[in-house]
Amino acid sequence: MLARLLKQESGPLTRELVLEPGNFGLGRVPRRLLPAATVSSVCGYCATGCQLKVHLDEEGQAINLSPQAGYPVNLGMACPKGWQALDPLDAPDRATSPLLRDETGELRPVDWNTALEVFVSRFQNIRREHGREAAAFLSTGQIPFEEMAFLGCLWKFGMGFLHGDANTRQCMATAVTAYKQSFGFDAPPGTYADFEESDVIVLVGSNLCIAHPILWQRIMRNRRKPEIIVIDPRATETAQAATQHIALRPKGDLALYHALAHCILRDGRTDPEWIARTEGFEEFARFVRGYEPAAVTEATGMDVETIERLAETVSQPGKRVSWWWTMGINQSYEGVRAAQAIINLCLITGNIGKPGTGPNSITGQCNAMGSRLFSNTTSLVGGHDFENPEHRTKVAGVLGIPQERIPAERSLAYDQILAAAEEGRIKGLWIVATNPFHSWVDSGRLAKLREKLDFLVVQDMYHSTESARVADLVLPAAGWGEKDGCFINSERRIGTLKAVRRAPGLALSDFRILRLIAHAWGCGGMFSGWTDPEAVFRILRDLTEGRPCDITGIDGYAHLDAEGGIQWPFPRGDAPRHPVRERRLFEDGVFPTPSGKARMFVSPPAGLPEEPNDLFPFLLLTGRGSSSQWHTLTRTGKSDVLAKLCPQSAWLEMHPDDVKRLGLRDGARVRVSTRRGTMEAALYQAPTVRPGQIFLPMHFPEVNTLTHPSFDPHSRQPNYKACAARVDAETLRS
Ligand SMILES: Nc1nc2c(c(=O)[nH]1)N[C@H]1C(S)=C(S)[C@@H](COP(=O)(O)OP(=O)(O)OC[C@H]3O[C@@H](n4cnc5c(=O)[nH]c(N)nc54)[C@H](O)[C@@H]3O)O[C@H]1N2
Ligand SMILES: Nc1nc2c(c(=O)[nH]1)N[C@H]1C(S)=C(S)[C@@H](COP(=O)(O)OP(=O)(O)OC[C@H]3O[C@@H](n4cnc5c(=O)[nH]c(N)nc54)[C@H](O)[C@@H]3O)O[C@H]1N2
Ligand code: SF4
Ligand SMILES: [Mo]
């Protein structure tokens, strides 16, 4: 049976391709009847979610691509990564066969049968000897949600383990927690049209020009002559292109937004109707009374006048103000309360539920939003809660599985999983489509933790990643372009991606790998209906019924393609009442909390977890380096075109005054050190960083040997963007 399944799973590309939007009426047309054609596919990098038009040869294989003109997200535009999205598929370091570490310590190619046997026997041993809490998966926001759901359901309901988390913890956990607490559901309210309909756009800790270039293009289409304010310690590309840059002291956000609320309440520039739709306003008002601007000048690095002026700008009566935040807020030891401070400002000024408004978080990875609804990690699949017995009954019913297979507890969070592995309580890890040996905070600890693990499986497109290189077993995965499924972008728009290339060698889509594992584990029957991504899409769709993310009105992939993607919610029968192309949440002022009201949360700012001192005098910030570099460079690093657009080795940005003071010169080799590690970089003299601060792009593996392992207490998101560091001329090394 397994042999038959394997044969079937690794068969040729048999999917019939769907024609392009211009040909919607034709429905499914077998590819072989056509001359060279195109298919549409959502980009697999950032959560902007641009649609690309992929040009195919006679064999149905992608030869080229261009941005899709009619798609409501990108309107015919794409950034360099999107244009070069096919390049990484041809890289020589693709994993083309499973690899198993042998007795000599080398990773050697094995066939799928052997790989599956090892996978199952090792995890079954762990399960038998140490119980369901002794292994965990670490996954991603970068594979279709059909695959994420399969992984999460297989691991927890099929294989019977409890713990699993994803790299979305590094990225969006703060926004998720903030929304859940404030609105009762993880519900980012905006739609991209809001960029074009705002009078004031506030970008907080968000370098849009680099990280979401096409969203910056959407701002450029705004005809209302908007005030564009960037709140970021650095004068980023985005800050320079904006109308105002607020060079906030790092982690001064919470104090600043409390002070803005103070001024707005003091001057009565509020919207009483929206305040009536909140809970906790009185306490909030009392709390911010202590935050007069003069009290926060030190924490924010801003003068009273600037704070007063900003408060006025974001509360002008009759003006539409939208707030958009990204990692400058999320990646902090107090990110949740800072995000909620932004939410509170929108609530008290009525900048929510209307065109051009909203406390909007911009998502990072192509499918981080899909992970939030369907990965079965923090939330029970389909926007449910593990702790809620009614939810468990419902999910068990729809999936046709015994309810006792669904755990009543939540998983440990990412950092807690790693801590448990350090303590020897977690013995096995299965890493899927993420590269934590490079990207996790204080990554030096992972090297030590590796020695403690009995079994490490890495499932990736490449055998060369920092994580794959130290695995016991590498499972070769197909990547974007080699498989079907759906992504959900920042504005909650669900769009499809398509297989337009055959994966190399024995590499299989994550979906197919999961099917094989389910069968080999002996729980294939539980997933007998999970035959292909679209079948799973329909199961997941049915699961969302009655939840705020209800998408029961979507027929299937062809429907999504025909509509130019569909934003959730889209309940059955809802379509006629709403325009399909753009939809924002909370237009009726009702929130999915028990009372229907939004909740207001406040905390005082905490101090930096690691203050600079004489030995480590700089404050180190990290983030994206350029629009052509993606995270750990496993994909973008393979493109010759993208390589020409950015430096190839690590650089450190430092203010000219500091360069001079330290007796260094532009271009010199320097060592950057923190209490945890040290690395070399080329010094780049940059007036864009403030004196006393330095910036490292995250794309080089040594960077996270420096970062500080502190976490937001509510979201458990790592604080990647503030720790104490020193810089020395490289010659001081020996
Ligand atoms: N080219 C490219 N694009 C990407 C990615 C990529 O790797 N490369 N990754 C994608 C992903 S997953 C994500 S999450 C997004 C990230 O997108 P962004 O969040 O826009 O990118 P970052 O550079 O991580 O951080 C944004 C800014 O936060 C600022 N910041 C640091 N500390 C603070 C602070 O205390 N307060 C404030 N207000 N700002 C602060 C930094 O100076 C930085 O400019 O990008 C996505 N897009
Ligand atoms: N210092 C610092 N560190 C950071 C950040 C920061 O700002 N500063 N940002 C954090 C953030 S926001 C994020 S999102 C993380 C990102 O961190 P990671 O998730 O570790 O980074 P990626 O390079 O995107 O890793 C994705 C991996 O999946 C593989 N892959 C791609 N497609 C597929 C697929 O379809 N299937 C399989 N099986 N594998 C696939 C790729 O080859 C790659 O190895 O980094 C975090 N780390
Ligand atoms: S902006 Fe994001 S989604 Fe659009 S092409 Fe670039 S990487 Fe892809
Ligand atoms: Mo991210």
Side-chain angles (χ1 to χ4, degrees), residues 157-283:
F157 311 155
M159 296 165 67
F161 287 105
L162 180 62
H163 301 304
D165 203 2
N167 63 6
T168 40
R169 184 74 62 181
Q170 288 152 275
C171 185
M172 299 312 299
T174 288
V176 171
T177 310
Y179 284 135
K180 270 192 179 172
Q181 291 183 349
S182 294
F183 296 157
F185 197 77
D186 174 20
T191 183
Y192 291 162
D194 292 324
F195 280 122
E196 291 162 23
E197 293 175 18
S198 302
D199 300 307
V200 179
I201 295 170
V202 194
L203 296 169
V204 186
S206 173
N207 192 0
L208 220 56
C209 290
I210 278 202
H212 303 89
I214 301 306
L215 293 183
W216 178 258
Q217 295 306 320
R218 293 293 299 262
I219 291 182
M220 291 296 95
R221 288 166 52 92
N222 185 319
R223 305 218 175 280
R224 303 171 74 93
K225 296 200 175 67
E227 187 77 34
I228 306 168
I229 303 167
V230 170
I231 304 180
D232 193 309
R234 299 186 303 135
T236 59
E237 294 75 358
T238 316
Q240 292 174 47
T243 57
Q244 261 190 64
H245 173 211
I246 307 271
L248 181 73
R249 192 167 173 247
K251 311 305 140 202
D253 296 271
L254 200 48
L256 174 62
Y257 310 136
H258 288 339
L260 297 183
H262 171 99
C263 301
I264 291 166
L265 293 181
R266 179 199 63 203
D267 299 345
R269 299 162 75 89
T270 53
D271 183 330
E273 266 180 48
W274 276 91
I275 290 176
R277 292 172 190 154
T278 63
E279 283 174 59
F281 173 75
E282 296 304 325
E283 246 178 281

Side-chain angles (χ1 to χ4, degrees), residues 263-503:
C263 301
I264 291 166
L265 293 181
R266 179 199 63 203
D267 299 345
R269 299 162 75 89
T270 53
D271 183 330
E273 266 180 48
W274 276 91
I275 290 176
R277 292 172 190 154
T278 63
E279 283 174 59
F281 173 75
E282 296 304 325
E283 246 178 281
F284 168 76
R286 237 187 339 267
F287 178 88
V288 297
R289 223 170 278 152
Y291 284 83
E292 59 269 4
V296 302
T297 49
E298 204 195 315
T300 59
M302 292 164 64
D303 57 37
V304 170
E305 203 196 327
T306 311
I307 298 172
E308 291 281 359
R309 204 166 354 105
L310 184 60
E312 268 178 46
T313 313
V314 299
S315 63
Q316 295 169 75
K319 295 274 185 194
R320 301 164 170 189
V321 183
S322 61
W323 292 73
W324 309 81
W325 81 82
T326 322
M327 292 307 121
I329 290 290
N330 284 358
Q331 291 174 342
S332 154
Y333 53 90
E334 57 186 7
V336 171
R337 289 294 181 257
Q340 286 168 332
I342 295 174
I343 292 173
N344 294 342
L345 284 170
C346 290
L347 288 168
I348 61 170
T349 56
N351 277 301
I352 185 165
K354 289 179 266 190
T357 67
N360 306 307
S361 79
I362 302 172
T363 316
Q365 308 166 77
C366 50
N367 204 14
M369 192 75 84
S371 160
R372 288 150 76 165
L373 292 185
F374 295 116
S375 66
N376 211 29
T377 50
T378 306
S379 305
L380 176 59
V381 60
H384 298 92
D385 292 324
F386 283 103
E387 290 97 336
N388 184 322
E390 280 168 31
H391 286 186
R392 293 200 301 277
T393 310
K394 177 187 162 196
V395 171
V398 176
L399 297 186
I401 61 172
Q403 189 172 329
E404 57 276 13
R405 303 294 306 182
I406 303 183
E409 323 90 290
R410 280 208 250 161
S411 162
L412 292 177
Y414 206 129
D415 67 301
Q416 296 162 330
I417 288 174
L418 295 183
E422 276 176 342
E423 291 160 18
R425 286 184 286 122
I426 282 188
K427 312 271 182 196
L429 279 184
W430 179 12
I431 294 176
V432 181
T434 183
N435 187 11
F437 284 79
H438 173 147
S439 61
W440 184 251
V441 72
D442 187 18
S443 59
R445 275 170 73 186
L446 276 150
K448 287 187 216 121
L449 173 160
R450 164 61 277 217
E451 287 159 28
K452 291 238 170 174
L453 284 175
D454 288 349
F455 191 42
L456 174 64
V457 182
V458 172
Q459 185 166 315
D460 203 285
M461 290 171 68
Y462 305 98
H463 60 70
S464 56
T465 72
E466 287 80 8
S467 306
R469 287 204 302 263
V470 297
D472 296 309
L473 177 67
V474 177
L475 300 179
W480 177 91
E482 297 166 341
K483 55 186 176 182
D484 296 335
C486 289
F487 292 153
I488 310 182
N489 78 355
S490 272
E491 53 165 3
R492 310 180 318 281
R493 185 179 301 273
I494 307 169
T496 64
L497 59 147
K498 314 274 169 43
V500 290
R501 278 285 181 88
R502 220 165 263 129

